[in-house]
Amino acid sequence: MNIEKEQIDDLNAVVHLTIEKDDYEPRVENVLKDYRKKVNMPGFRPGKVPASLVKKMYGKAVLVDEINKLVSENLSSYITDNKLDILGEPLPSEKQQTIDFDNDEQFKFSFDLGLTPEVEVKLTKREKLPYYKIEVTEDMLEGQKKNVTSRFGSTEPREEAGEKSMLKGDFVQLDKNGEPIEDGIKAEDAVMSTAIIKTDKEKKKIVGAKVGDEIVFEPKKAFPNETEISYLLKISKEEAANISGKFKFSVKEITEYIDPELNQELFDKVFGPGKVTNEEEFTAQVKEDLGNTLEMESEYKFSMDAKEKLMGKMDLNLPEQFLKRWIKATNQNKEEQDFTDEQIDQEMPHFLEDLKWQIIRNQLIKENELKVEQKDIIDFAKKSAKLQFMQYGLNNVPDEHLESYAMDMLKNEDQQRGMAEGAINDKVMDFVKEAVKIEEKEVSRDEFNKLFEKSQKK
């Protein structure tokens, strides 16, 4: 067997493989011998089918299969042995000649390769990167305390509706004369909140109502948007956008949410037994947890800024035509991802940006010998699990439960790969922080959001 590499340019190469009869013939004969032992054919005892007949029936299929295996094995070994840093996977060359398995004894294959450009990533303390810390205001803190305690509150019945009551009842659409429309909109057991009614005029019609009362008002004037109206009247958003006029609401039930009392029982429920013993400690713990959550946002923004900085330092060229072919070839057999040339052209800029970052990131990993151990992957999985629980207001999940949940996630191969990716990304960003000069800047929530939106638009 002969393998040669033809260098087209810095980013493209072609590997030519020539397979001789001596390379494949012993393999083909061994497979056919095995077939002969197993094949069942009328008129012949098992294992006694003539070799010539077995070869006639299966010879070509076995030949093609063994040659394909030889090509795959040797191409892969050649890339590994010669340390070729390729993008995507080898593709059959566009200049590949037709293979005649019926008449030829020597077979020539050619494969196009897209090569990773050489990069050198140098970082020094002369490089500056901002790190935005979100200021924790009193309003944010109070809002977070409410979020943390809200699931421990209670709902109590009320005799009449107040400014923050929930009312349950039936809606009926009325005509201009105030009579129910026979085929009009009707909604039973609808639930509405007086707190979100947008006009004082409409709110006054509801505040003070009692069970059994019938209230006539205009939902279009009372509620802020079509989403609320569609939910309230149990209709589509399109229907909600077009409704007008008055509705009658028959009150069946009035309730109001009551905040929980700040006591030891609540503290234990939120943070675990004995971790917090008074309101001051409770506020401090909520503030700490809020700061940790905001720090995750700061870290994400930093990673965006770091990527932009590093990518801006380098002018990376990529084998775009090869990559377009590779994307199309990779997805053409996936029904849900059958990309057209037009779709690939549209997605290409985003794909190339992601690929450039991967190349830079991988070079940082290689140059600085950054490694991820199993413990790093588990720690990242635990961090992800903790974040998931916190989104549901569960702030006191014991460490052993987090670890158990994390280990369950890591049993899934896809999730394990995702956690490993997350862990190595954290390693890269930790390295960048050490290598450059970090300028911490405290900003408000609104300022941070604007900075974030600006980054996303780039």
Side-chain angles (χ1 to χ4, degrees):
M1 177 178 294
N2 183 48
I3 305 180
E4 296 177 342
K5 178 166 74 76
E6 177 188 357
Q7 193 76 29
I8 305 300
D9 54 39
D10 290 343
L11 301 174
N12 294 275
V14 182
V15 173
H16 303 283
L17 294 88
T18 302
I19 299 178
E20 306 288 349
K21 188 174 182 179
D22 290 344
D23 298 319
Y24 63 80
E25 190 173 50
R27 295 172 61 133
V28 171
E29 288 179 355
N30 286 335
V31 173
L32 290 175
K33 283 179 184 177
D34 191 50
Y35 271 39
R36 190 183 177 207
K37 293 175 186 177
K38 299 175 181 177
V39 70
N40 288 315
M41 190 175 294
F44 298 96
R45 286 182 295 158
K48 298 299 181 180
V49 179
S52 59
L53 187 55
V54 173
K55 184 174 183 179
K56 183 178 180 181
M57 293 179 65
Y58 302 107
K60 183 177 178 181
V62 172
L63 173 67
V64 172
D65 190 42
E66 291 305 312
I67 287 176
N68 283 335
K69 289 178 183 177
L70 273 168
V71 169
S72 178
E73 292 165 6
N74 285 276
L75 180 60
S76 178
S77 295
Y78 181 82
I79 291 169
T80 302
D81 294 345
N82 289 273
K83 298 179 180 178
L84 299 181
D85 195 357
I86 66 171
L87 297 171
E89 297 170 358
L91 294 176
S93 176
E94 292 180 311
K95 297 179 181 179
Q96 171 71 53
Q97 296 180 352
T98 303
I99 304 295
D100 187 352
F101 290 102
D102 290 316
N103 300 307
D104 294 343
E105 291 190 348
Q106 182 190 74
F107 303 99
K108 295 182 178 180
F109 297 86
S110 297
F111 292 89
D112 294 335
L113 305 181
L115 305 177
T116 303
E118 293 185 8
V119 295
E120 186 178 17
V121 187
K122 292 294 183 184
L123 295 175
T124 69
K125 290 294 182 180
R126 289 193 298 271
E127 305 281 354
K128 296 178 182 179
L129 275 172
Y131 187 93
Y132 297 103
K133 299 187 74 172
I134 304 171
E135 178 191 8
V136 178
T137 65
E138 285 301 316
D139 285 345
M140 288 172 65
L141 183 56
E142 287 304 311
Q144 185 66 10
K145 286 168 68 174
K146 277 192 171 295
N147 288 339
V148 167
T149 60
S150 62
R151 64 193 182 91
F152 299 105
S154 60
T155 301
E156 297 181 2
R158 289 286 182 262
E159 291 186 2
E160 65 177 47
E163 294 283 339
K164 297 180 180 180
S165 295
M166 298 291 290
L167 290 83
K168 182 178 181 181
D170 301 333
F171 273 103
V172 175
Q173 190 175 18
L174 304 177
D175 61 19
K176 292 180 180 179
N177 299 318
E179 297 296 325
I181 299 174
E182 186 174 346
D183 297 321
I185 296 170
K186 295 181 177 66
E188 294 184 354
D189 294 332
V191 177
M192 67 174 176
S193 168
T194 53
I196 66 169
I197 296 174
K198 65 181 182 180
T199 65
D200 290 338
K201 183 179 178 182
E202 298 301 316
K203 184 177 286 190
K204 285 178 181 177
K205 296 177 182 178
I206 299 169
V207 172
K210 298 179 180 180
V211 174
D213 286 354
E214 293 182 343
I215 308 164
V216 175
F217 70 104
E218 297 183 58
K220 196 78 171 183
K221 293 181 179 179
F223 294 96
N225 52 52
E226 282 78 21
T227 301
E228 290 290 344
I229 295 171
S230 67
Y231 168 76
L232 192 66
L233 300 179
K234 302 179 183 181
I235 56 178
S236 69
K237 287 185 181 180
E238 291 73 23
E239 289 176 296
N242 296 317
I243 70 158
S244 61
K246 297 179 179 180
F247 280 72
K248 180 175 70 177
F249 181 71
S250 303
V251 183
K252 296 163 71 174
E253 184 181 305
I254 302 171
T255 57
E256 195 161 308
Y257 172 79
I258 306 299
D259 285 321
E261 184 180 345
L262 294 178
N263 54 27
Q264 192 60 50
E265 182 182 2
L266 176 66
F267 302 153
D268 290 346
K269 285 179 180 178
V270 175
F271 293 113
K275 189 172 182 181
V276 166
T277 58
N278 56 53
E279 189 173 346
E280 184 179 342
E281 290 178 3
F282 173 77
T283 300
Q285 187 62 55
V286 171
K287 186 174 184 178
E288 181 183 332
D289 289 346
L290 176 58
N292 291 336
T293 302
L294 295 176
E295 186 179 1
M296 291 181 190
E297 295 186 48
S298 296
E299 290 285 342
Y300 184 65
K301 179 67 173 73
F302 174 80
S303 71
M304 293 174 69
D305 292 337
K307 285 167 66 174
E308 183 183 352
K309 181 82 170 180
L310 289 167
M311 290 175 71
K313 284 166 60 73
M314 301 183 189
D315 184 19
L316 284 181
N317 292 317
L318 296 171
E320 291 189 31
Q321 292 307 312
F322 171 84
L323 291 168
K324 286 181 180 180
R325 284 179 55 211
W326 175 68
I327 292 170
K328 191 168 185 179
T330 302
N331 290 281
Q332 66 183 358
N333 294 322
K334 300 177 182 177
E335 293 181 7
E336 71 279 6
Q337 289 283 82
D338 192 8
F339 291 163
T340 64
D341 290 340
E342 184 180 354
Q343 287 173 312
I344 292 174
D345 286 339
Q346 289 175 350
E347 294 292 330
M348 205 63 191
H350 180 69
F351 172 78
L352 292 175
E353 286 298 296
D354 284 347
L355 186 55
K356 286 176 182 178
W357 168 244
Q358 286 180 34
I359 292 169
I360 293 170
R361 188 199 71 162
N362 291 343
Q363 189 64 21
L364 279 171
I365 293 169
K366 181 180 176 182
E367 286 178 0
N368 301 285
E369 299 182 348
L370 304 180
K371 295 179 181 178
V372 167
E373 308 292 342
Q374 186 65 18
K375 181 180 181 302
D376 298 318
I377 298 173
I378 294 172
D379 286 344
F380 188 86
K382 286 170 65 177
K383 184 170 74 172
S384 299
K386 185 175 183 178
L387 184 60
Q388 289 182 37
F389 285 121
M390 286 175 67
Q391 288 174 341
Y392 292 102
L394 302 173
N395 299 284
N396 63 333
V397 180
D399 190 69
E400 60 268 23
H401 289 174
L402 286 176
E403 183 152 355
S404 175
Y405 189 82
M407 297 306 291
D408 282 340
M409 286 196 294
L410 293 176
K411 290 176 183 177
N412 180 290
E413 288 186 12
D414 289 338
Q415 290 201 44
Q416 186 173 42
R417 279 193 292 271
M419 297 302 165
E421 270 293 297
I424 192 63
N425 283 336
D426 280 358
K427 287 267 184 179
V428 170
M429 287 303 155
D430 287 343
F431 172 80
V432 172
K433 281 181 192 171
E434 291 296 321
V436 303
K437 183 178 180 181
I438 301 298
E439 296 182 329
E440 286 195 1
K441 299 179 180 180
E442 188 171 73
V443 294
S444 68
R445 170 88 265 182
D446 287 343
E447 288 172 327
F448 182 86
N449 289 344
K450 288 176 183 176
L451 288 166
F452 193 81
E453 288 169 9
K454 187 177 178 181
S455 296
Q456 288 184 311
K457 289 177 182 178
K458 289 182 179 179

